[in-house]
Amino acid sequence: MSSLSYYKDLIFVLTAKEIKVKYKNNFFGYIWSILHPLSMAMVFYFAFKFVMKIPLKNFTLFLISGLFPWQWFSNSVGASSTILIGNASLIKKVNFPRHFIPLAIVLNDLFHFVMSLPVIFGFEFFYKVSPTLAWSYGIPLLILTQFLITFGFSLIVSSINLFFRDMERIVLIGLNILFYLTPIVYDISLVPERFKTFFFLNPLYPVIEEWHGIFLKGFIDWRLYCISLFQATAIFLLGFLIFKKLSWKFAEVL
Amino acid sequence: MKEAIIFENVTKTYPYYGYVTAGFKNFILHLPKAIKNTKKRFVALDEVSFKVYKGECVGVIGKNGAGKSTLLGLAAGVLKPDKGRVITKGRVSPLLELGAGFHPELTGRENIILNGVLLGMTKREVEKKMDQIVEFSELEEFIDQPLRTYSSGMVARLGFSIIAHLDPDILLVDEILAVGDIDFQKKCMDKIMNFRKDGVTILLVSHNLEQVKKLCDRAIWIDQRKIKAIGDPDEVCKAYSSLLACV
Ligand SMILES: Nc1ncnc2c1ncn2[C@@H]1O[C@H](COP(=O)(O)OP(=O)(O)OP(=O)(O)O)[C@@H](O)[C@H]1O
Ligand SMILES: [Mg+2]
């Protein structure tokens, strides 16, 4: 038995568990996972278009193409803080690679994100934006960078939460702040020039910007992509190292 | 004879809790004390050395909190010794708890796959053994119901049925034989006997001295962080129970 195929099975069953549980807890699992970002899009559409009257072309598409990826990130990272505590009996009793637990969470939300792509395509169709060739390689490439960032954060949050159990609250506040500091519901062009460079400190900024780019303009900005891939890899490695360093202590503190 | 499990001067300590896991807020509020506390550790096992040979069944006895589960955790590889070395040879099946990793919302069948893979089988292996596992558990009627509808004895049955179909070299058992009804307990005992016959090395924690005497080739008595006695199960159990009688 090769351990590679065993690990594949292990990741598969753990992710399948998350997906099944999510679908079973509420009959409309899939509908809910789409309804949440859609309702957020509606609220922001109302607030920005009608109340504040910010002129933006294709604003609905703009909102949706940022909110769905954000949903993936924030669901995964938000769930990560309690994920190891939730699997305590497993961690204390069975020896298997611990990072598969957060991995399963991130893959579960990735699955939902992929399943929600047809909704984005539907809106593209509705607003008569035609698909471009860049979609075929751009979407997988962007999924890759966002996966690395999300998994990296998830590793950091889940492992640190075991030692500082109020991490959960900090994460919730942090996600809230991050949401507004990332150009998801507003365009970066509205941001005053002197603040713009600071946005590069936010690893989510280039990714969301790329999602906007590919779904609204139909191409990938390679300079931006390189920056985000670099940041994503760095965050992933950092998360992996922190998690690895702490993982030996998990069974002790649970 | 070949060794299957080797403990070499193994010391295991646990952190003191309090400020550490209480959160950032508490950590910062009580900073000096908290930092001091992170260094202080509780010794659970102190310089423990022993060997278990291939095919042997060794019982581990001792009072509550003596360090028996810690010892199995070290052998399973979920805990890391602070000092010394733990060496295990072959596939270790860590059944420290029946149904670790079961999910209440999934059906019995889905949980068998999940748990089987977690315990070291590939998905294919589990699927191949599925019918046998279900039959052994005698839960055919309920197998497609969510686990939350099971009684705790039924959960234990399901858990043990998966374990019974593993193919380990080393089996670690922590007080799991006390669950289920008498019928099923006997079935568990028989299965453990079978594992023994097949040459599986077994490390078994139990508070049931009769069971230890019946099943084991040797016994280890752990007391006050150390091995107090090791050897013939009858003698070790006798020493242990005479001490209990004195107190
Ligand atoms: N995660 C932990 N953190 C801190 N201390 C722990 C932890 N786990 C166990 N201990 C301590 O280590 C000692 C040994 O615990 P262990 O669980 O190994 O006992 P045991 O022999 O299995 O007891 P029992 O018969 O009740 O199962 C106990 O004093 C316990 O307080
Ligand atoms: Mg115990």
Side-chain angles (χ1 to χ4, degrees):
Chain A
M1 182 190 74
S2 81
S3 63
L4 206 67
S5 77
Y6 171 66
Y7 285 159
K8 207 186 71 212
D9 281 0
L10 194 50
I11 293 173
F12 179 84
V13 293
L14 285 171
T15 309
K17 175 185 99 173
E18 298 299 330
I19 292 171
K20 277 183 200 153
V21 168
K22 193 155 175 171
Y23 277 111
K24 266 180 193 171
N25 276 342
N26 36 53
F27 182 63
F28 293 107
Y30 176 63
I31 308 284
W32 287 130
S33 67
I34 286 167
L35 225 53
H36 187 191
L38 275 187
S39 59
M40 271 167 78
M42 258 160 61
V43 171
F44 283 112
Y45 188 83
F46 176 75
F48 286 105
K49 194 85 174 186
F50 294 120
V51 181
M52 295 201 259
K53 302 206 171 53
I54 295 170
L56 264 177
K57 231 181 83 202
N58 276 350
F59 193 47
T60 315
L61 253 187
F62 179 88
L63 283 173
I64 284 171
S65 56
L67 280 168
F68 277 85
W70 165 260
Q71 188 75 5
W72 169 18
F73 176 80
S74 93
N75 278 351
S76 287
V77 176
S80 295
S81 41
T82 51
I83 187 65
L84 293 180
I85 296 173
N87 283 289
S89 76
L90 208 55
I91 290 170
K92 287 175 85 155
K93 267 101 197 182
V94 188
N95 191 11
F96 67 100
R98 273 80 177 83
H99 50 269
F100 285 2
I101 295 177
L103 178 60
I105 288 290
V106 177
L107 288 178
N108 166 35
D109 288 313
L110 165 60
F111 174 80
H112 284 92
F113 174 68
V114 171
M115 295 299 285
S116 70
L117 280 176
V119 177
I120 301 183
F121 297 154
F123 274 93
E124 299 268 344
F125 181 76
F126 186 78
Y127 286 98
K128 304 208 166 49
V129 179
S130 38
T132 62
L133 185 65
W135 283 20
S136 61
Y137 54 84
I139 293 174
L141 282 175
L142 288 181
I143 285 179
L144 172 71
T145 45
Q146 185 168 342
F147 170 79
L148 290 173
I149 292 178
T150 310
F151 190 28
F153 271 105
S154 175
L155 287 167
I156 296 171
V157 166
S158 58
S159 52
I160 292 184
N161 184 64
L162 279 190
F163 300 88
F164 298 99
R165 301 268 165 108
D166 51 4
M167 186 76 183
E168 198 184 337
R169 316 246 167 121
I170 297 172
V171 168
L172 285 182
I173 299 170
L175 281 173
N176 238 326
I177 296 173
L178 194 63
F179 178 75
Y180 288 100
L181 287 183
T182 311
I184 296 169
V185 293
Y186 54 87
D187 193 70
I188 187 74
S189 61
L190 300 171
V191 177
E193 207 55 50
R194 66 202 146 100
F195 292 128
K196 265 188 191 162
T197 36
F198 291 111
F199 274 75
F200 281 99
L201 291 176
N202 172 3
L204 224 51
Y205 158 62
V207 184
I208 294 290
E209 209 40 36
E210 288 282 9
W211 282 118
H212 283 151
I214 197 146
F215 282 128
L216 291 161
K217 304 186 201 106
F219 66 83
I220 279 206
D221 177 346
W222 291 107
R223 192 185 69 97
L224 206 60
Y225 186 77
C226 288
I227 295 174
S228 80
L229 187 61
F230 176 75
Q231 283 182 335
T233 314
I235 287 171
F236 169 71
L237 287 177
L238 179 72
F240 197 80
L241 288 177
I242 291 178
F243 194 89
K244 201 173 154 83
K245 190 111 185 38
L246 294 176
S247 66
W248 268 113
K249 302 214 159 90
F250 288 172
E252 285 177 12
V253 295
L254 272 167
Chain B
M1 257 196 293
K2 271 198 257 162
E3 298 98 347
I5 307 171
I6 306 172
F7 274 59
E8 266 175 20
N9 299 320
V10 173
T11 298
K12 176 70 202 162
T13 66
Y14 284 112
Y16 274 102
Y17 286 127
Y19 303 115
V20 182
T21 48
F24 282 117
K25 193 193 89 201
N26 274 308
F27 189 79
I28 288 162
L29 282 179
H30 305 270
L31 200 59
K33 225 171 163 183
I35 288 174
K36 222 170 73 201
N37 261 359
T38 52
K39 298 225 177 74
K40 223 164 68 180
R41 291 174 71 93
F42 172 82
V43 182
L45 287 177
D46 188 13
E47 302 265 325
V48 169
S49 303
F50 66 92
K51 282 176 187 163
V52 177
Y53 296 97
K54 215 167 159 287
E56 228 186 352
C57 177
V58 174
V60 182
I61 56 175
K63 280 191 281 198
N64 290 135
K68 304 179 296 294
S69 300
T70 305
L71 193 123
L72 285 204
L74 287 162
V78 292
L79 294 171
K80 197 177 175 178
D82 294 81
K83 267 187 265 155
R85 282 202 305 170
V86 177
I87 303 164
T88 52
K89 290 175 186 160
R91 198 148 108 157
V92 182
S93 273
L95 15 143
L96 309 181
E97 180 184 296
L98 289 176
F102 274 171
H103 196 289
E105 289 297 330
L106 301 183
T107 67
R109 203 180 289 278
E110 287 166 337
N111 270 304
I112 291 177
I113 302 224
L114 177 65
N115 201 247
V117 173
L118 281 167
L119 289 174
M121 287 192 264
T122 62
K123 203 159 156 282
R124 277 265 291 288
E125 285 177 290
V126 189
E127 276 158 359
K128 237 170 47 199
K129 290 181 181 165
M130 177 63 83
D131 292 338
Q132 281 167 272
I133 294 175
V134 175
E135 200 188 310
F136 187 89
S137 71
E138 297 168 21
L139 291 169
E140 287 93 344
E141 273 177 70
F142 310 96
I143 204 68
D144 291 310
Q145 301 284 321
L147 204 77
R148 65 185 150 79
T149 65
Y150 287 32
S151 72
S152 52
M154 283 158 75
V155 173
R157 263 169 187 261
L158 193 68
F160 190 82
S161 308
I162 299 166
I163 285 156
H165 291 83
L166 295 173
D167 176 25
D169 299 310
I170 299 173
L171 196 66
L172 306 172
V173 187
D174 193 351
E175 290 177 61
I176 59 169
L177 299 180
V179 289
D181 52 33
I182 297 178
D183 242 21
F184 195 71
Q185 276 190 32
K186 188 175 169 309
K187 219 167 160 179
C188 294
M189 287 283 274
D190 291 348
K191 190 67 212 179
I192 300 246
M193 293 279 206
N194 262 341
F195 273 130
R196 261 194 66 178
K197 256 191 243 130
D198 294 343
V200 176
T201 310
I202 301 173
L203 199 57
L204 172 120
V205 169
S206 180
H207 287 291
N208 183 340
L209 297 184
E210 291 311 313
Q211 204 174 61
V212 171
K213 285 185 209 164
K214 202 163 121 198
L215 280 174
C216 302
D217 304 305
R218 279 195 299 158
I220 299 178
W221 172 15
I222 301 196
D223 193 45
Q224 314 236 324
R225 305 165 196 163
K226 293 198 183 274
I227 293 182
K228 180 116 173 188
I230 182 166
D232 179 63
D234 287 327
E235 278 165 33
V236 174
C237 287
K238 210 171 118 196
Y240 176 57
S241 51
S242 68
L243 185 98
L244 287 187
C246 293
V247 182

